[in-house]
Structures are given as structure tokens and as C-alpha cells.
Amino acid sequence: MKYFCRLACLFLFFLSVSHVSCAQYTHQDTLRGSVGTGRDWWNVLHYDLLVDVDIPNKSISGKNTVLFEVTKAGKPGLLQLDMQRPMEITSIEDPQQKYKQLSFRREGNVYWIEFGDMAFTAKQRYSLIVHYKGTPRAAVNPPWDGGWIWTKDEKGRPWITVACQGLGASVWYPCKDYQGDEPDRGATLSITVPDELTAVGNGVFKEKKSLNGRTTWRWEVKNPINNYTIVPYIGYYTNFGETFDGEKGKLECSYWVLDYNIEKARKQFAQVAPMMRCFEQWFGPYPFYEDSYKLVETPHLGMEHQSAVAYGNRYKNGYLGMDRSGSKWGLDWDYIIVHESGHEWFANNITTNDIADMWVHEGFTTYSEVLFVECKNGVAAGDAYCQGLRRNIENDKPIIGPYGVNKEGSSDMYDKGANMIHTIRQLISDDNKFKAILRGLNSRFYHKTINTNDVEKYISKEAGKDLQKVFDQYLRTVNIPQLEYELKGNILSYRWTNCIKGFNMPVRVLIGDTPRWIEPTENWQKQTLGPKEKDATFAADKNFYITVKKAG
């Protein structure tokens, strides 16, 4: 057993950028976070999900029809389906075999569906009808410590939703709970609630049917969608909408808010159209025109639920009325509208296979805030906002987390990630090219799941610069590169310290009032300045996320 533990630790070490121990990660973590033999032979095509909500008992029941395609021919024997305790799968039907009941067994939060000697052919399509029920985990501090949210609005009426990023969609419905396998052909979500309540889901509203005092609301998503962003919203909602004339035509935007907040919402949500114009300019067309765009009021702060963005910023500008950057530039726009909508491009359109790479979601989306400030107030304001975000950076651990165990890296993925991107923008030194790269990412990886390396290679290729050392420095270490310099007379000496081996990032500096580029390495370099620059002041461009130290 000790030998196995050592092997497992070594395996996880080489997968991850940080040290791990067997005490940290369990077999359940590996089942959840990696592609094992119960997952590697099938690809999800569609979820047809039904949930019946029992509000008094805070319980749910329903079924999920899982359509999948076989990617590896043979006799797999077992299929892994995820369903977290205390929820349980009650039965599984096989429509291909006249709704034969399939055998299954539970291992923690995993169910193993048994196919025995059944053989599958490559590209064969198969479906399972999975029935489930139970009392799902209640959220402790949503959206960060999530689950089902059972609360009441200001009038004491039921107000219910789900937030489960990281925790996983299997906290409430059976699925292949792996971020790298989205249902390629989208999903339908049918929500059954008492007649007096409204149930909102992702995508486009299809129909509602009433029977015996209960109504089922059916919603449909046509595009691939992250498991954790498929979410029901239940409450005394009313709605209004508008049509946005965007790059791909007319985008239907609808807003679902508690009935007594509609006037506040009409005023606050006027920010959506200018935000969409800014984001389409920088990132390309909104990625889900067929599924519409929605904001849905929630009792928690917010979440990037695809085509049904959760909004809980209490109709305030800033982050609950505060400016996270301390620059003042974050106070005249609604943080949740902008940040969570930015995720439609980075998280929902481009999705990482492993949440260890979640900086791709959060770093670029935090940078979307910078770009929105720039769209509203100009380049200098965007620069100041981005620089201000640095006050939140802790440099406690690498941004990239351990792979294969469903664990994120440092929360610095937000603000440090954005500042790394801003630094790369300076290195590219051509905003037309930088914009083309951002748009190109969303075009090249449209509706795809990817890894960090895909992003790194694409940006380096399109920038025409090898940026690997920059990515390694900011994503895989906690050290911020330090530019050490000495200016004696008209001789400038400089080098990088506190950096990885081979770090050679160019940097723009100010000598007196004159900007110029220098190319430091780990070794001291010298440069002779002009006569007028003798004993001038020296500073680095503040748009580079570095520290500066005078030698001696």
C-alpha cells in the first residue's frame, strides 16, 4: 500500500505544477478530475434533463436522458456516471433494449453502469435514461461554496436556484461531470414547480405545461454547454427584453427579475448594450446567438451560467458598490453584468478541460473589465484600472493548479492573470494585432475545450514572439520578476532577478521623460546613454507587472 501511495504521489507531481501529497488527494478526486476507463470511450452529445422541485422538503427528483457517441470500439464493461451524495440514482433504462433496466453500483460520488459483454462500435450513438432523486447539498456560501439555494425574496416567497462551479453539476443531476466533455448538441432543461412560480433555464424558452397545480417550464440550448452552467432559477419573476444589433445579426436579450425590481432592472440593465458592443469589438461575436442572452436575478452575487447569466449585484455599480481596483474607474459600471457576461467568451465559448487551467476563464474575463473601462473612458483609464487590481494579488501559490484531481490554482488567476495579459499586450506593442489575437482565440477555439498550452502556443504564434518564459514565470511560479538597475553617469546597467532560468522579457522603461525598450537577461548588461541622459531618472512602464530595484 505504501508503494502504491508513493507511485500515486509521483504521478500527481508530474501532472501538476505544484507539490502534492497523498493526504491531499483521494481516489474520488482522481475519478472526478481525470479521464479514466469509465470515461475515455464515450463523448456526450446531449442532455435532456427534467427536474421536479419539492420546495417544502427541499428535495428534487427527475431524469436525465444522456445521448452519447462511442469514441473507442470494444467491450468497455463499465461507464462512469457522476452523482454526488446524498443524491442517488434510482434506475437506469436502456431505450435501445426496450427500456431494459441496467445494473449499476455506487462508489462514493460515482456510479458504475454495467454493460457486461456488450460490444460497441466506433461512432455508435447510444442513450440512457437515468432516474434520480434526493435532497441535494444546500449551498453554504454561494456562489463560492455552492449547491442548491433555498431562500425567500423580500416578500417571503420562495426563491430558489443553484450555484455549483467547482463543486460540479453532479451535486444535483447525473452527468459526466468532467469539464472537458460538454454535450456537443446542447441540452434541454425542464423544470416543474408550483403553478404560481416561474422557472427560468438556459437558452430559449420552448413551452410550459400545467397539470394538477404544477407547471413544467421547458428551455433549450442548441450549443455546447458547460455542465455546471446548466441551472434552474425559480421565483416570482417577471421579464422584459431588447434586441441587440450585433456582428452576427439580431441578438435577443431578455431580463428575468423579481417582480418588484423591474424598474431598477430597466435602469441598471441599460449597461448591457454598450458592454456587448465593446466585447464584440475586442473578442468577436457573442458566441451563442442561437440561445439568446439573459440576465437572471439571483439571491447570490453572480455566476457565468451560459446564456442565462446569474445576476445578484443588488442593482449597484461596482462590486456591490465598491471598486476592486481602488482606481475609481470601477465605480460607474456594474461589475457582475460585465464580468459574468465576459465569461460567455472565456469559460463558456472557450472552456478548459481541467479546472487547474481556470486562469484562462478568469484571467481573460478579468481583463474584459479592463477593456470595458477602456471602451468607456479611454486607454489611460483602462491602464489605471488594471494596475489597481494588483493590490488584490497574494502570490500564495501558482495560478495553474494540480491536474487530474478537480482542483483550481491560486485565486490570483483573476487579477494576476489579467496583469499578465496586460503585460503581454505591451510586449506585442500593436493593439490591432492584440485585438486580432483575442478575436482569433474565440474563433480558433470556438465552442471547444482546451488546455493552457493551446492558449500559450496560439498567442506566441500570432504575436510572432516566443512568450513561453513569460507564461512560465507568471502562471507557474509565485515570483514577480524584478528589474534591478544601476545608472551612473550615462552608463545604465540592468538585469532580471527573482525569475525563472532563461527569463529574458523585454521591458519598456522611462529614462528621464524618454521611453525606450531594453532587453534584460539574468546577467548584467550595460548600455551607454546619450549625453543629455546623464544621471537621469529611471522607471519602468507601470503597465508591466514587475518590480524595480536600484542596485546597491
Side-chain angles (χ1 to χ4, degrees):
M1 187 64 182
K2 290 181 179 178
Y3 176 69
F4 172 79
C5 189
R6 284 197 299 271
L7 284 178
C9 282
L10 284 170
F11 174 70
L12 286 171
F13 173 78
F14 286 114
L15 279 177
S16 172
V17 295
S18 58
H19 292 278
V20 297
S21 70
C22 288
Q24 286 179 275
Y25 303 114
T26 67
H27 179 54
Q28 284 288 311
D29 292 326
T30 302
L31 287 174
R32 172 65 198 288
S34 60
V35 179
T37 56
R39 285 176 167 173
D40 66 354
W41 61 273
W42 60 289
N43 170 55
V44 180
L45 296 179
H46 189 265
Y47 290 136
D48 185 359
L49 180 59
L50 185 149
V51 59
D52 193 318
V53 184
D54 182 347
I55 297 172
N57 294 308
K58 296 183 179 179
S59 65
I60 60 175
S61 61
K63 65 179 180 180
N64 189 13
T65 301
V66 181
L67 175 66
F68 64 88
E69 182 175 79
V70 176
T71 58
K72 186 187 296 186
K75 298 179 180 180
L78 297 173
L79 179 147
Q80 177 183 334
L81 208 61
D82 304 290
M83 179 96 262
Q84 295 180 36
R85 294 185 186 277
M87 295 296 294
E88 62 178 329
I89 292 175
T90 56
S91 65
I92 302 175
E93 297 174 310
D94 184 344
Q96 290 82 189
Q97 299 186 63
K98 297 182 179 179
Y99 295 92
K100 172 186 174 182
Q101 296 289 313
L102 291 176
S103 297
F104 55 89
R105 57 183 171 84
R106 182 165 209 161
E107 183 185 1
N109 292 325
V110 165
Y111 280 85
W112 297 103
I113 301 171
E114 300 173 354
F115 286 103
D117 290 331
M118 186 184 299
F120 290 89
T121 59
K123 296 187 178 181
Q124 178 182 350
R125 292 187 175 181
Y126 213 84
S127 62
L128 301 171
I129 302 174
V130 186
H131 297 263
Y132 66 96
K133 68 175 184 179
T135 303
R137 181 188 194 273
V140 177
N141 183 29
W144 303 279
D145 193 351
W148 272 68
I149 303 159
W150 308 89
T151 190
K152 295 184 184 297
D153 64 20
E154 291 179 6
K155 294 186 176 182
R157 304 171 301 182
W159 194 16
I160 300 153
T161 187
V162 181
C164 59
Q165 184 185 26
L167 177 62
S170 60
V171 73
W172 74 274
Y173 72 90
C175 61
K176 187 178 186 178
D177 204 354
Y178 173 66
Q179 195 164 272
D181 192 355
E182 302 177 339
D184 299 337
R185 295 166 57 184
T188 55
L189 174 59
S190 299
I191 313 158
T192 302
V193 295
D195 283 343
E196 64 271 19
L197 290 166
T198 297
V200 184
N202 309 77
V204 175
F205 173 68
K206 301 303 291 184
E207 64 177 353
K208 65 177 182 177
K209 294 181 178 180
S210 296
L211 180 67
N212 298 327
R214 296 179 70 76
T215 299
T216 299
W217 299 69
R218 185 168 175 266
W219 298 80
E220 181 181 50
V221 170
K222 293 183 178 179
N223 292 294
I225 183 169
N226 294 343
N227 289 341
Y228 75 87
T229 72
I230 301 173
V231 163
Y233 301 93
I234 301 162
Y236 281 77
Y237 286 111
T238 189
N239 81 296
F240 63 100
E242 62 180 325
T243 301
F244 173 74
D245 290 321
E247 289 194 15
K248 284 182 66 175
K250 296 189 180 298
L251 172 64
E252 294 305 316
C253 302
S254 59
Y255 310 115
W256 295 80
V257 300
L258 294 178
D259 48 15
Y260 52 76
N261 282 332
I262 190 165
E263 293 308 317
K264 290 181 182 178
R266 287 186 189 278
K267 180 180 178 181
Q268 193 74 358
F269 294 175
Q271 298 184 33
V272 169
M275 174 199 69
M276 280 289 182
R277 279 193 292 273
C278 177
F279 285 175
E280 286 207 331
Q281 174 190 348
W282 279 99
F283 302 146
Y286 173 74
F288 309 107
Y289 268 72
E290 304 85 352
D291 295 327
S292 79
Y293 168 87
K294 289 193 292 298
L295 288 176
V296 188
E297 186 175 2
T298 56
H300 65 86
L301 184 61
M303 184 57 66
E304 66 265 21
H305 300 146
Q306 186 173 313
S307 71
V309 172
Y311 175 82
N313 204 38
R314 303 175 190 171
Y315 304 101
K316 297 179 179 182
N317 283 342
Y319 181 99
L320 292 174
M322 302 175 290
D323 177 8
R324 291 186 65 253
S325 76
S327 69
K328 83 173 184 179
W329 294 112
L331 292 174
D332 64 346
W333 49 276
D334 191 309
Y335 174 89
I336 291 299
I337 292 176
V338 171
H339 181 89
E340 303 304 344
S341 299
H343 275 305
E344 294 282 45
W345 284 264
F346 293 97
N348 297 343
N349 182 38
I350 302 173
T351 307
T352 60
N353 289 309
D354 194 308
I355 68 171
D357 286 335
M358 211 166 81
W359 78 270
V360 176
H361 300 188
E362 299 299 353
F364 281 99
T365 300
T366 301
Y367 200 69
S368 76
E369 303 164 25
V370 177
L371 294 174
F372 183 67
V373 171
E374 182 174 322
C375 285
K376 275 179 64 70
N377 303 108
V379 173
D383 289 348
Y385 181 82
C386 190
Q387 293 164 23
L389 293 175
R390 295 172 189 169
R391 68 181 189 161
N392 306 314
I393 299 173
E394 297 182 2
N395 285 313
D396 56 341
K397 58 183 178 181
I399 288 177
I400 295 179
Y403 290 105
V405 288
N406 195 52
K407 299 296 178 184
E408 303 169 7
S410 171
S411 61
D412 285 346
M413 69 179 82
Y414 293 80
D415 301 316
K416 185 178 177 181
N419 271 278
M420 179 192 73
I421 294 164
H422 197 54
T423 298
I424 289 172
R425 180 180 180 180
Q426 312 313 308
L427 293 170
I428 293 171
S429 198
D430 180 339
D431 273 357
N432 288 329
K433 181 180 285 190
F434 180 66
K435 183 183 295 182
I437 287 172
L438 295 179
R439 291 177 66 97
L441 281 168
N442 279 281
S443 174
R444 170 67 180 84
F445 302 116
Y446 184 73
H447 293 176
K448 286 183 169 60
T449 63
I450 62 168
N451 302 316
T452 283
N453 287 339
D454 297 316
V455 174
E456 293 173 333
K457 289 177 182 177
Y458 182 86
I459 293 176
S460 286
K461 178 177 179 294
E462 296 302 315
K465 300 174 183 291
D466 184 357
L467 298 168
Q468 192 58 57
K469 294 293 183 181
V470 177
F471 287 118
D472 287 344
Q473 182 73 45
Y474 290 101
L475 297 178
R476 297 176 174 89
T477 80
V478 298
N479 299 323
I480 302 308
Q482 183 172 80
L483 179 62
E484 189 174 5
Y485 78 97
E486 184 177 61
L487 183 54
K488 287 186 175 180
N490 66 339
I491 304 298
L492 173 65
S493 304
Y494 49 84
R495 68 173 178 176
W496 286 120
T497 62
N498 202 41
C499 61
I500 61 173
K501 186 174 178 58
F503 187 73
N504 59 354
M505 182 178 78
V507 62
R508 189 168 50 233
V509 298
L510 288 171
I511 299 174
D513 295 326
T514 305
R516 70 167 64 193
W517 285 89
I518 60 174
E519 298 185 0
T521 66
E522 296 169 273
N523 300 316
W524 281 106
Q525 297 182 67
K526 291 186 177 182
Q527 194 175 117
T528 302
L529 305 179
K532 293 182 180 181
E533 295 173 316
K534 182 178 179 181
D535 297 320
T537 58
F538 178 92
D541 187 325
K542 292 181 181 179
N543 287 310
F544 288 79
Y545 180 41
I546 61 174
T547 62
V548 179
K549 177 186 175 182
K550 188 174 183 179

